Amino acid sequence: MRKFILPVLLSLIFINPVTANDEINSLLKILDKALKYKLNYAEQKQEQIDSLKIELKLHHKIHQKVQIAQSLCFAYSSFQKDSALAYAIHMNELVKECGDKELIMEAKLDYARILSSMGFFKEALAIVNSTQHESLSPKLKVEYFLGQVTIYNHQKFFASSEIDSRRNDLIAQTYRDSLLQCAEVPSNVKAFTIAPTLLYQKRYNEAIHMLDSAYSSYPLYSRDAGILAYSLASAYQGKGDSQNAIKYFTVSAISDVTNGTRENRSLRILAKLIFESGDINRAYVYMKNAMEDAILCNARINTIEASDMYLFIDKAFQEKEKRKFAIISSLLTALFFVCILLFVLFTQLKKQKKKVEQANESLSYHLDEIQKINSALADSSKIKEEYVGLYMEQYTNYITQIDSFKKRALKIAKSEDISKVVSFLKSSLNTEEDLAEFYNNFDKTILNLFPNFVADFNALLSPENTIVPSAGKLLTPELRIFALIRLGITDSVKIAHFLQYSLSTIYNYRSKMRSKAIGDRNDFEERVARIGQ
């Protein structure tokens, strides 16, 4: 019976995110290291499973084969659901041969719990509800009520409405109460069964006391300790003790990884908590591992829960970009104040003007260098395709830097009331016109490199979706995006930066064009990359 406690325990506790702190950094480092060796732990788990498979082939007594098949079913239940289901079916076939009614009923209940963990609720309920629990032995009554609690707790997460979710929760609570009346319920199962009720009643201290007593009886990072740590974390979270909540979620995640368990809800929760604390890189690693495990485990419930984390992945990247921009802005601001200090110390207007002139000379120099590169690109098709992307990105970055410098210089000049410098700066740089001219030069360059680019691109689209640039325009925004892809620039972040669009706009354009493509949409961008070859 203990072999199938995990699916119940993981479905009993409701959690909310908190913020991690420095006191648990050492535990997080242990988890980081464990994740690096996750494949090794999975291989160890597979070796244990392979040993059981060999034992199953060697034994000929039905009762021994049933016991080994049940062990395989349990081993796979948190590792690979399809295989767990296969051995649950095999176990049910074996028990029919021995004719032991007790084993037959236990095998059916194990089969129902595996079905429930995979999202097959109706099938699982059909098996459990067909059982006359009044006539079951005390041991099987525990299995029966435990199975009902498992199924209804799983089912409430997929309810179509709040009313259905509450109804499933009430039914689960009813079976939980019946489970507690059974004399043969192990103490650790009682702790997990009572804990949800105590948490619902906000009796957090009682829940912590009960769970901590059971937790301390197991070795650190053992499978049972990890399960208990998960519930302890939920209790501390309800109490508002964020430090202990993250501590025990981390312990639970370490236990999952080191024991080769892919039903690692603790890691998914921890990824969300770490993300909210601002450690985006670590949160991304946790999130990625959690999603990989959910897919490998092939459990419908885990996959759906893990897929929600994709929202955080996208948000994390955006936040990371914002932070990078903030750091660059801070550095530029610091440089700006250094320049002000130098200007104040020397108080020489002539040097200020000279700096602006030097900036213009530097711009002219870089433009000359870019033109030289452009000329070199015309000599060799291979060189053109390899370096044109670099040229365009450098050009865009330089215009952005000149615009930033212009704004700062204006601010300095205004603060010094140097009207001539202000007038000079207002008229000397016009990045909007420079940017427009740059994009026009880019369009010309693309059409020079690939004279039939527009026609070739439209040939990849359905006739009613062809793109025709408006009068006076060489390329449209969509054509520019895919021109960059033709040059080998496929990163949406770089494309957004180059075209001065938001990341979501670039995603929308790319998705919209794929939907209009002729043939297989999945290789549309690959066909664009081959235009002109």
Side-chain angles (χ1 to χ4, degrees):
M1 179 192 68
R2 292 178 65 252
K3 297 178 179 180
F4 290 93
I5 294 174
L6 178 59
V8 185
L9 304 182
L10 293 181
S11 66
L12 293 179
I13 312 296
F14 178 78
I15 53 168
N16 288 308
V18 294
T19 303
N21 52 59
D22 294 337
E23 297 181 14
I24 57 170
N25 279 342
S26 59
L27 277 174
L28 292 174
K29 290 178 181 178
I30 294 173
L31 176 57
D32 294 341
K33 185 176 180 180
L35 288 172
K36 289 182 180 179
Y37 295 96
K38 185 177 68 172
L39 291 179
N40 299 63
Y41 294 124
E43 289 175 0
Q44 293 175 13
K45 178 88 170 185
Q46 189 63 57
E47 289 174 1
Q48 296 171 4
I49 290 173
D50 291 341
S51 297
L52 289 172
K53 289 180 180 179
I54 294 173
E55 286 187 44
L56 184 62
K57 291 181 180 179
L58 294 177
H59 285 82
H60 300 288
K61 294 183 179 180
I62 293 298
H63 282 78
Q64 290 178 330
K65 292 176 76 68
V66 169
Q67 185 177 8
I68 297 171
Q70 188 180 46
S71 297
L72 279 165
C73 186
F74 166 69
Y76 270 123
S77 65
S78 61
F79 190 69
Q80 219 292 326
K81 292 293 183 183
D82 288 344
S83 297
L85 183 62
Y87 280 101
I89 294 172
H90 184 56
M91 179 172 56
N92 276 269
E93 292 172 349
L94 289 173
V95 294
K96 291 178 182 178
E97 298 181 26
C98 70
D100 188 325
K101 293 183 179 180
E102 185 86 359
L103 281 177
I104 291 173
M105 189 56 60
E106 185 174 359
K108 282 185 177 180
L109 294 173
D110 290 343
Y111 180 39
R113 280 195 291 274
I114 292 296
L115 287 172
S116 173
S117 69
M118 297 180 71
F120 301 117
F121 306 124
K122 291 183 180 180
E123 294 82 351
L125 283 173
I127 293 173
V128 177
N129 290 337
S130 65
T131 303
Q132 300 295 326
H133 68 274
E134 295 85 357
S135 60
L136 296 176
S137 66
K139 175 186 175 183
L140 286 182
K141 279 186 178 180
V142 172
E143 294 277 357
Y144 170 81
F145 291 124
L146 197 58
Q148 292 283 22
V149 171
T150 302
I151 294 169
Y152 282 103
N153 270 288
H154 283 158
Q155 195 166 239
K156 75 179 181 180
F157 289 109
F158 293 88
S160 57
S161 65
E162 182 65 27
I163 295 176
D164 286 342
S165 178
R166 189 173 299 175
R167 181 178 63 83
N168 281 289
D169 195 38
L170 290 174
I171 295 174
Q173 183 63 49
T174 300
Y175 283 113
R176 192 181 295 116
D177 293 341
S178 299
L179 177 63
L180 292 174
Q181 301 303 316
C182 297
E184 294 197 2
V185 180
S187 59
N188 62 333
V189 176
K190 280 188 176 181
F192 286 114
T193 306
I194 296 172
T197 301
L198 295 176
L199 295 180
Y200 179 77
Q201 296 173 352
K202 298 184 178 181
R203 295 158 62 186
Y204 302 119
N205 288 332
E206 293 181 47
I208 291 170
H209 177 75
M210 177 181 60
L211 292 167
D212 189 57
S213 177
Y215 172 77
S216 60
S217 65
Y218 292 101
L220 184 63
Y221 305 139
S222 65
R223 190 73 197 100
D224 289 327
I227 297 171
L228 285 158
Y230 175 88
S231 294
L232 268 171
S234 301
Y236 276 114
Q237 189 174 34
K239 186 180 178 181
D241 187 341
S242 60
Q243 180 177 351
N244 278 313
I246 293 185
K247 169 187 172 182
Y248 285 106
F249 277 132
T250 307
V251 170
S252 180
I254 295 171
S255 171
D256 288 337
V257 175
T258 55
N259 286 281
T261 299
R262 289 170 177 161
E263 276 192 325
N264 48 11
R265 180 178 292 178
S266 295
L267 188 61
R268 296 197 297 274
I269 296 168
L270 194 58
K272 187 176 181 181
L273 303 182
I274 296 301
F275 168 78
E276 292 177 349
S277 74
D279 192 347
I280 296 174
N281 290 336
R282 178 175 271 154
Y284 176 76
V285 172
Y286 292 173
M287 214 178 310
K288 180 180 177 182
N289 279 275
M291 177 59 74
E292 289 174 353
D293 287 346
I295 293 172
L296 290 172
C297 191
N298 198 24
R300 179 189 172 199
I301 293 175
N302 293 346
T303 303
I304 292 176
E305 288 180 347
S307 65
D308 292 338
M309 290 296 181
Y310 275 124
L311 297 175
F312 293 98
I313 293 176
D314 181 62
K315 184 177 180 181
F317 275 115
Q318 293 182 23
E319 290 296 327
K320 189 175 181 180
E321 289 302 313
K322 289 180 181 178
R323 290 178 185 275
K324 286 171 62 178
F325 179 77
I327 292 172
I328 294 173
S329 298
S330 298
L331 291 174
L332 292 175
T333 301
L335 179 60
F336 167 73
F337 282 111
V338 169
C339 291
I340 289 180
L341 179 60
L342 292 174
F343 292 149
V344 171
L345 290 173
F346 292 100
T347 63
Q348 296 182 15
L349 180 59
K350 185 176 180 179
K351 289 187 177 181
Q352 295 179 16
K353 184 177 180 180
K354 186 176 180 180
K355 286 183 179 290
V356 175
E357 291 173 348
Q358 289 174 347
N360 287 331
E361 291 175 0
S362 178
L363 175 60
S364 298
Y365 171 79
H366 284 286
L367 290 175
D368 290 338
E369 290 296 313
I370 292 170
Q371 289 176 355
K372 290 179 182 178
I373 294 174
N374 192 32
S375 298
L377 292 175
D379 296 334
S380 169
S381 176
K382 180 179 180 180
I383 296 177
K384 284 187 294 186
E385 292 187 8
E386 184 175 1
Y387 289 102
V388 69
L390 177 61
Y391 136 71
M392 292 182 295
E393 184 174 357
Q394 287 179 337
Y395 195 177
T396 305
N397 286 338
Y398 198 78
I399 290 174
T400 303
Q401 292 171 9
I402 290 299
D403 184 47
S404 177
F405 183 79
K406 172 185 171 181
K407 292 177 180 178
R408 294 192 184 97
L410 281 171
K411 186 174 180 180
I412 296 169
K414 288 180 180 179
S415 66
E416 296 291 336
D417 194 20
I418 307 171
S419 59
K420 290 184 179 180
V421 176
V422 172
S423 176
F424 169 78
L425 290 174
K426 285 183 177 179
S427 61
S428 61
L429 295 173
N430 193 327
T431 55
E432 292 184 358
E433 291 181 2
D434 290 340
L435 193 59
E437 182 181 358
F438 169 70
Y439 287 142
N440 186 55
N441 289 336
F442 168 73
D443 295 348
K444 290 179 181 178
T445 301
I446 289 299
L447 296 178
N448 184 47
L449 292 172
F450 313 106
N452 299 320
F453 179 80
V454 176
D456 291 345
F457 182 82
N458 282 329
L460 302 177
L461 304 176
S462 56
E464 66 274 17
N465 291 314
T466 57
I467 299 174
V468 179
S470 58
K473 300 291 184 180
L474 298 177
L475 297 179
T476 64
E478 298 95 326
L479 291 172
R480 284 177 182 160
I481 290 171
F482 286 92
L484 288 171
I485 291 174
R486 172 60 187 89
L487 296 175
I489 303 173
T490 58
D491 190 319
S492 293
V493 175
K494 291 184 178 179
I495 294 174
H497 176 67
F498 174 75
L499 295 177
Q500 301 293 297
Y501 291 149
S502 67
L503 188 57
S504 60
T505 299
I506 299 302
Y507 284 148
N508 290 337
Y509 273 129
R510 294 178 76 166
S511 176
K512 182 179 179 182
M513 289 297 99
R514 281 197 298 270
S515 68
K516 297 178 178 181
I518 297 174
D520 190 352
R521 298 173 182 177
N522 293 327
D523 66 357
F524 170 66
E525 293 189 358
E526 293 179 6
R527 285 182 284 156
V528 171
R530 294 193 296 270
I531 287 177
Q533 292 182 354

